[in-house]
Amino acid sequence: MVACYPSGGSCYGPHIDNIDGDGRQGVDLGRCLSLVYYPGPWTVPAGRPWSAAADGGALRLYLPQSTTLAGAAAVPRAILDIPPVSDTLFLFRADWLVHEVLPA
């Protein structure tokens, strides 16, 4: 799948790309990895360079929660934002990592 998110508030809410595998019983031959590439460089309609802080469009990852060995209280889920910096490539697990594209 290829996706392009234009400016003007475009986003894609939290999801897992391959939550149920490929739908087959038994062996899952579905997608295991997702790849995000920010080609850039970009400009905004005003002609200035794209600014991740001002213009958005970051990839947000919701890292898995963890528990202590004794099974006590879970550690809060960590959030990692990957800004859309020109010529950045990011690869992650498609079958268990919750992620979203923040508004651009």
Side-chain angles (χ1 to χ4, degrees):
M1 179 181 123
V2 175
C4 178
Y5 299 94
S7 61
S10 297
C11 61
Y12 199 103
H15 65 283
I16 295 175
D17 290 337
N18 188 22
I19 196 164
D20 61 354
D22 61 3
R24 298 180 206 192
Q25 297 296 324
V27 178
D28 176 15
L29 301 174
R31 178 171 33 156
C32 293
L33 300 172
S34 287
L35 182 133
V36 174
Y37 178 60
Y38 297 113
W42 310 284
T43 58
V44 296
R48 66 173 171 74
W50 183 274
S51 163
D55 301 311
L59 172 66
R60 174 168 282 178
L61 305 176
Y62 296 90
L63 304 179
Q65 292 179 324
S66 61
T67 59
T68 64
L69 293 177
V75 174
R77 181 174 282 196
I79 294 173
L80 176 64
D81 288 343
I82 313 278
V85 175
S86 180
D87 203 28
T88 299
L89 179 69
F90 191 75
L91 180 72
F92 59 93
R93 289 291 303 256
D95 54 350
W96 59 260
L97 189 61
V98 178
H99 60 284
E100 68 178 304
V101 177
L102 298 178

